[in-house]
Each structure stands twice: as structure tokens, then as C-alpha cells.
Amino acid sequence: MCASTTMTEPEGERERERERGPRFTVGYALAPKKQNSFIRDSLVNLARSRGIDLVKIDPNRALADQGPFHCVLHKLYGPEWKKQLGEFRLRNPNAVIIDSPDAIERLHNRISMLQVVSELEIEPRSLTFGIPKQIVIYDKETLFDRQSWVALKFPVISKPLVADGSAKSHKMALVYNHDGLNKLKPPIVLQEFVNHGGVIFKVYVVGSHVQCVKRKSLPDVSASSSSTSGDAAVLPFSQVSNIATDKKAEEKYYEMMDLDDTKMPPQEFIEGIANGLRGALKLNLFNFDVIRDARESC
């Protein structure tokens, strides 16, 4: 006697999924702009093929009532969202939250986010790293007090003290001399500008995985720029990759520059910094920028 069985398409798909192994559901909560940038069909399909289902979290519903999620990946802020994450953790103690709101809050202040850098000890010791000289300016009086500037040399980059991901927190400026101070609004961080060959190294960290890529950055600044005056003494920008300089000069500068000619930093060195920051900041998903001082060789 010969018996045969048939399997419907849904049953067949479930059977194939069981053969592929366990599946994981990751809920993501992102601002609309970041969601449109990162959650592409190609990413969703790739994740699905690797056993990971990406599910959008509805910010208008209680997080604890959604899911179930093995992991919550988020980039939202505020006390209400922090409360929701706390309630979700209580109901789902085994779920992973990337990253802890307390750890993320440290990054909202440009001074506290960089404090750990000076404490890191990275191999090989033959290579050095650090942050450019900087000061915090809380009010206009200090801004125009030249005694506050003893430690810094122009040009400087002005950055809002608060770095909460808002459009305002990305409004920076390259200030060539004291004339440019009139356009600044404290509280701000003033950081000495370091010529770096117009190249910035973007380092992306996902757990223990570290990826470093090259990107075009601010052009080097010549000594003669310190003589600019009036409105030309300050150059606003929102990202180092789209600074609004003279377009013809900018195009000529970048035409002469070939990223392929730029030597990458040693991977061991970059991984050492990344892992040191990951441990000190207690973060699993973040990125940071590295520049190579044009006065130094690496």
C-alpha cells in the first residue's frame, strides 16, 4: 500500500522556516527621517533571510503592549519614551534594548560624551589619539572675554553644547577670528580646528563589529583665512560633508582630492578605540569620527 501526502503553501513555508532555525523579532522605533533613511526594503529582506523580522513600533501605542520582541532597537528620546522602555523591560526581562537610555543620555552633552576618550589606553602605543583643544562657553560675556581664549587658536569650530539629534544640535560653524563670534549663541563648545586633508574617517560600531570608511570633509584652512572680517569670518554648516563654501573653490578642491589616495588608519588601532568606547560608554550601537592631523604622519 502506498500513501502520499500533500502540503499546502503556508505549511510548506513554515516547515522551511523550521529547517532554517529559530527566528528573532526586532522592533524598531526611529524618527520618521531616520526610518526613511535606514529601513529600506533591501535591509528588511536581508534581515528576513537571516532569520530576523524587523517590525515597526507604533509610537502612539504603549510599547509594553506591542510585540513580542526579542530586541528593541530605538533612537527616540524624552522622559515618556524612557518610561515606556522601563515598563517594557519589566514585562520582558529577557529582551534586549539597544541601547540603554541612561547610556544614551551621556551623549547628549558634547563634553560628557568625550570625557572617556582621554581615559582610554589603546594599543599600539606608537600611535596617539585624543580630542582637539576645546572650551565650553555658557554666556555671551565669556564669549567676548579674550582671557577665555588663552588655550585656543583660531580657526575654531562652534558646536551646540546639547547634542540630542535635533536639527538645532547639528548647526555648527567654522569661526576664523574674533569677528565671527557675533554670530554665535551660547551655550556652545568651541573646538580648535585641525587641518586633516579634507578626509574624515567614519567608524560604525555594532557590538564587536567595527567598520571604518572614508568620507570627504572640511577643506584645510590656510593661515591667511584669519584676516577675513564681517560675515565672512564665520561659516555656518550642518554637516562636515556639505559645508557651504565658495562652490567653485570647493569643486576645485575636491576634484584634486582622491579618497583612494588616502591611507586608512590601522584596523587594530580603530578597533581598539571602538572597543574601549563601547565598554566605557556601555553602548552597542554607535559611531564616531576620526581625523588624521595633517601635521602628523600615520
Side-chain angles (χ1 to χ4, degrees), residues 5-16:
T5 60
T6 60
M7 185 177 293
T8 64
E9 184 62 28
E11 290 174 339
E13 180 60 30
R14 284 195 293 270
E15 181 64 28
R16 286 191 288 273

Side-chain angles (χ1 to χ4, degrees), residues 272-296:
I273 297 176
N275 292 328
L277 289 174
R278 182 161 60 98
L281 295 172
K282 295 180 172 59
L283 295 172
N284 293 289
L285 181 63
F286 64 99
N287 69 82
F288 61 94
D289 298 339
V290 174
I291 60 173
R292 179 184 290 123
D293 192 329
R295 298 167 297 183
E296 305 290 338

